[in-house]
Amino acid sequence: MFNIQTDMKRILLAFTLGVFVLSANSQTLELSYGSHATLLNYGDTVTIDSLSTVSEMVATLNVKNTDTVSRIVFCRKQYINIVANTTNTFCWAGSCYPANVFLSLSADTIGPGETNPLFSAHYEPNLNAGTSIIKYTFSVSHGDSAWVYIKYTSTVGINDNELSYTISNPYPNPSNSNVYIDYDIPVGSEAVLQVYNICGKIEKEFVLKENNGILNINVSDLSAGVYLYSLYINGRTERTNRFIVTR
């Protein structure tokens, strides 16, 4: 003969434990990498390799709020391993922070089911070879956190399979009218330079028909803010950098 009261207690206990497990396994934030929005698990490592002679290595992440309510999200960086005399910065919630800032001074409020303005992490090897690993954590105010590791590896020397090209930093930077970029790319290669806003939307695209020259980017029609650009040679991303538009 069963005891109704005892069985009810067992059912309630099982239900409570089930809710607890579901809550513990739930994830408020969803992380993805790059323009193709490759989904990442918490604790995954994004790897970026380049020569130590490049001026900057850039990783971009998308942070999505999977909750049914808006969430306030901060970003924090933590050094796991850093090559001496290298420089790293990050951009979050519309602001870019210098190397000595480890916690974003402002938060991004992400609506339910929405993705934040693009996060970008910037690493300058400054001619120093080696591997640096930086942990980036996105923390929900009064909630959980999501984190990934970005592994930057810079090497010395030129691999025979590497393309020989040069591209300058954008100038003037910041600008309110025109931005110029000097470039020299291999003869016969297919080169495209895309400019996109901090949300990842492509704003401008240029096909570099000459193997060298000065690219003139008219930014007078762009809103004030931070913009990224990527150089693609024969379909491969060779360089990503940024400039600022002022008004």
Side-chain angles (χ1 to χ4, degrees), residues 73-104:
V73 183
F74 288 87
C75 179
R76 180 189 299 273
K77 74 175 181 179
Q78 176 186 351
Y79 293 162
I80 306 302
N81 182 69
I82 291 293
V83 176
N85 300 317
T86 59
T87 306
N88 64 87
T89 61
F90 71 94
C91 299
W92 174 251
S95 298
C96 294
Y97 298 98
N100 62 345
V101 174
F102 288 79
L103 176 64
S104 62

Side-chain angles (χ1 to χ4, degrees), residues 29 72-76 103 107 137-146:
L29 302 178
I72 299 174
V73 183
F74 288 87
C75 179
R76 180 189 299 273
L103 176 64
T137 301
F138 304 91
S139 300
V140 177
S141 181
H142 305 294
D144 57 0
S145 299

Side-chain angles (χ1 to χ4, degrees), residues 144-195:
D144 57 0
S145 299
W147 66 95
V148 294
Y149 299 89
I150 300 181
K151 178 181 178 183
Y152 304 92
T153 299
S154 54
T155 56
V156 177
I158 300 178
N159 188 298
D160 291 337
N161 294 324
E162 295 288 341
L163 289 171
S164 176
Y165 72 94
T166 58
I167 180 171
S168 72
N169 288 325
Y171 62 93
N173 188 17
S175 175
N176 60 7
S177 56
N178 294 81
V179 171
Y180 300 92
I181 300 174
D182 303 335
Y183 67 91
D184 191 336
I185 56 178
V187 176
S189 60
E190 297 180 358
V192 175
L193 188 140
Q194 292 181 340
V195 176

Side-chain angles (χ1 to χ4, degrees), residues 3-245:
N3 187 306
I4 295 178
Q5 186 176 7
T6 300
D7 285 354
M8 285 300 296
K9 287 182 178 179
R10 290 175 180 172
I11 293 172
L12 288 173
L13 177 60
F15 176 78
T16 302
L17 289 174
V19 171
F20 174 78
V21 171
L22 288 173
S23 299
N25 291 332
S26 65
Q27 297 177 343
T28 304
L29 302 178
E30 179 184 272
L31 305 180
S32 58
Y33 170 63
S35 58
H36 297 294
T38 302
L39 289 179
L40 299 170
N41 294 316
Y42 291 6
D44 276 357
T45 298
V46 174
T47 301
I48 301 179
D49 300 323
S50 188
L51 296 176
S52 60
T53 53
V54 301
S55 61
E56 188 176 47
M57 302 160 70
V58 181
T60 59
L61 299 175
N62 302 293
V63 183
K64 181 179 180 180
N65 174 17
T66 61
D67 209 342
T68 56
V69 295
S70 296
R71 293 295 185 179
I72 299 174
V73 183
F74 288 87
C75 179
R76 180 189 299 273
K77 74 175 181 179
Q78 176 186 351
Y79 293 162
I80 306 302
N81 182 69
I82 291 293
V83 176
N85 300 317
T86 59
T87 306
N88 64 87
T89 61
F90 71 94
C91 299
W92 174 251
S95 298
C96 294
Y97 298 98
N100 62 345
V101 174
F102 288 79
L103 176 64
S104 62
L105 303 179
S106 59
D108 189 14
T109 300
I110 310 177
E114 294 182 353
T115 301
N116 77 302
L118 197 67
F119 164 87
S120 59
H122 304 259
Y123 179 82
E124 300 174 21
N126 299 326
L127 303 180
N128 298 290
T131 297
S132 293
I133 301 175
I134 303 176
K135 179 182 180 182
Y136 291 95
T137 301
F138 304 91
S139 300
V140 177
S141 181
H142 305 294
D144 57 0
S145 299
W147 66 95
V148 294
Y149 299 89
I150 300 181
K151 178 181 178 183
Y152 304 92
T153 299
S154 54
T155 56
V156 177
I158 300 178
N159 188 298
D160 291 337
N161 294 324
E162 295 288 341
L163 289 171
S164 176
Y165 72 94
T166 58
I167 180 171
S168 72
N169 288 325
Y171 62 93
N173 188 17
S175 175
N176 60 7
S177 56
N178 294 81
V179 171
Y180 300 92
I181 300 174
D182 303 335
Y183 67 91
D184 191 336
I185 56 178
V187 176
S189 60
E190 297 180 358
V192 175
L193 188 140
Q194 292 181 340
V195 176
Y196 46 98
N197 62 27
I198 204 163
C199 295
K201 177 186 175 183
I202 297 175
E203 298 284 356
K204 296 178 183 290
E205 180 175 288
F206 304 91
V207 177
L208 306 182
K209 297 181 179 180
E210 304 295 332
N211 68 296
N212 62 73
I214 301 175
L215 177 63
N216 179 2
I217 304 175
N218 186 344
V219 300
S220 60
D221 58 336
L222 299 179
S223 301
V226 178
Y227 291 84
L228 302 177
Y229 65 86
S230 294
L231 172 66
Y232 302 91
I233 299 180
N234 296 333
R236 187 175 68 177
T237 306
E238 295 293 342
R239 173 74 178 278
T240 299
N241 207 339
R242 58 182 166 168
F243 59 81
I244 299 173
V245 174

